[in-house]
Amino acid sequence: MTEPNGTPDAHRPYGAESLRDTLAWVLRSLDDPATAAGDWIAYEVDDNRGTAVTLLTDPTTPLSRIRRARVLWSALRAEGETAEERTMGSRLAIAAAAAALLFHGERITPHDDAALDAAMRSVVADEAVAAEIRTMVRMAQKKIGG
């Protein structure tokens, strides 16, 4: 869907209703393919939220979708075509664990608090990760005492 200012709706990068919206998303993805790969997974998991930022920072995202996204982002970490995609997969998988902990009080990773806190620090320090996700991860760190 296109917003009044002519920009594609950031919450629906793949569920575009017009060719123009789809092409606009493709052009944005050329600038940052690692983020685009993360967003593609988010859209596959929940097309109503459509981006990694929206999926991870929405407190109403069902835990089952966060778990599914974490599995897929972990696969991107292992099988991404570029180092940037693999790094983004890792960061988003950690952020999914943070979202599950923060919004649902559930631990979806076997890591202990120290290991999880260290992983979350890596997300917070990575400026390639969206600011909204880094903020959410900081909040989760506080919850585990990091």
Side-chain angles (χ1 to χ4, degrees), residues 70 73-74 76-77 84-94:
R70 182 180 179 279
W73 284 321
S74 292
L76 180 62
R77 178 192 69 213
E84 291 81 10
E85 283 182 1
R86 292 187 296 274
T87 298
M88 187 59 70
S90 175
R91 302 295 193 242
L92 292 174
I94 294 162

Side-chain angles (χ1 to χ4, degrees), residues 30 41 122 124 140:
L30 293 174
I41 288 170
S122 71
V124 170

Side-chain angles (χ1 to χ4, degrees), residues 12-16 22 25 29 35-44 50-51:
R12 298 190 56 91
Y14 306 97
T22 302
W25 182 86
S29 71
T35 299
D39 284 345
W40 180 260
I41 288 170
Y43 178 75
E44 287 300 314
T51 68

Side-chain angles (χ1 to χ4, degrees), residues 56 97-106 135-137 139-141 143:
L56 292 170
L101 186 63
L102 180 64
F103 299 130
H104 298 282
E106 295 283 333
T135 298
M136 181 275 300
V137 171
M139 293 168 62
Q141 279 184 288
K143 192 166 185 171

Side-chain angles (χ1 to χ4, degrees), residues 48-140:
N48 288 324
R49 288 177 179 86
T51 68
V53 169
T54 306
L55 182 83
L56 292 170
T57 62
D58 181 351
T60 66
T61 300
L63 181 60
S64 61
R65 292 187 183 159
I66 294 171
R67 285 181 192 273
R68 177 76 176 135
R70 182 180 179 279
V71 167
L72 295 172
W73 284 321
S74 292
L76 180 62
R77 178 192 69 213
E79 301 172 15
E81 291 184 22
T82 65
E84 291 81 10
E85 283 182 1
R86 292 187 296 274
T87 298
M88 187 59 70
S90 175
R91 302 295 193 242
L92 292 174
I94 294 162
L101 186 63
L102 180 64
F103 299 130
H104 298 282
E106 295 283 333
R107 188 176 291 262
I108 62 171
T109 177
H111 302 305
D112 62 21
D113 285 353
L116 187 56
D117 183 57
M120 288 182 187
R121 280 195 310 269
S122 71
V123 173
V124 170
D126 189 343
E127 292 186 8
V129 176
E132 299 92 335
I133 293 175
R134 293 193 325 260
T135 298
M136 181 275 300
V137 171
R138 278 189 209 100
M139 293 168 62

